[in-house]
Amino acid sequence: MTAGELLRTTRRRHGLTQKQLAIRARTSQAAVSRIERDLVSPSVSTLAELLRLMNEELVLDAREVDWGHDVTLTRGGLDLTVAQRLDRLVAYATLAGDLQAAGRGA
């Protein structure tokens, strides 16, 4: 959800027009409209103030992202030296070659 969508949804939920919100904020209806249409991006403090004028609180939240892989493995790999990474690469290449040869022999 964009800042404009959040502002528009909240304003409508409170039954306010853009003009009414603008009066509360001591700004123009056009300024509110530009934010709601995402033509301008308000600062966090501006958005928080506009929401506060409607007795709402802006809550920012951070959540861990599931990237679909084990980031501890990535971190572990980054902790290796260049020589250790090359040794690991050679071991994987050898294993792949062995698996390929075993597949041909079957």
Side-chain angles (χ1 to χ4, degrees):
M1 175 176 278
T2 67
E5 291 168 339
L6 176 62
L7 185 62
R8 181 176 45 253
T9 300
T10 305
R11 177 183 58 75
R12 286 178 176 169
R13 187 173 65 245
H14 284 272
L16 295 173
T17 65
Q18 289 180 346
K19 183 69 173 174
Q20 289 168 325
L21 179 57
I23 290 168
R24 288 183 185 189
R26 297 181 185 201
T27 189
S28 67
Q29 178 272 327
V32 173
S33 175
R34 284 192 298 274
I35 293 171
E36 289 188 359
R37 292 181 292 139
D38 292 313
L39 298 178
V40 296
S41 182
S43 67
V44 172
S45 61
T46 298
L47 181 59
E49 177 61 17
L50 289 168
L51 293 172
R52 188 192 67 74
L53 293 170
M54 295 181 281
N55 294 315
E56 298 270 347
E57 180 183 20
L58 178 63
V59 178
L60 298 177
D61 190 16
R63 297 184 183 147
E64 189 172 344
V65 176
D66 180 3
W67 296 104
H69 62 275
D70 187 351
V71 295
T72 59
L73 294 176
T74 303
R75 288 186 189 121
L78 292 173
D79 289 339
L80 299 175
T81 66
V82 173
Q84 290 170 321
R85 290 181 197 180
L86 289 172
D87 288 343
R88 183 179 278 184
L89 177 63
V90 169
Y92 285 140
T94 301
L95 175 62
D98 292 346
L99 291 172
Q100 187 177 26
R104 277 190 243 135

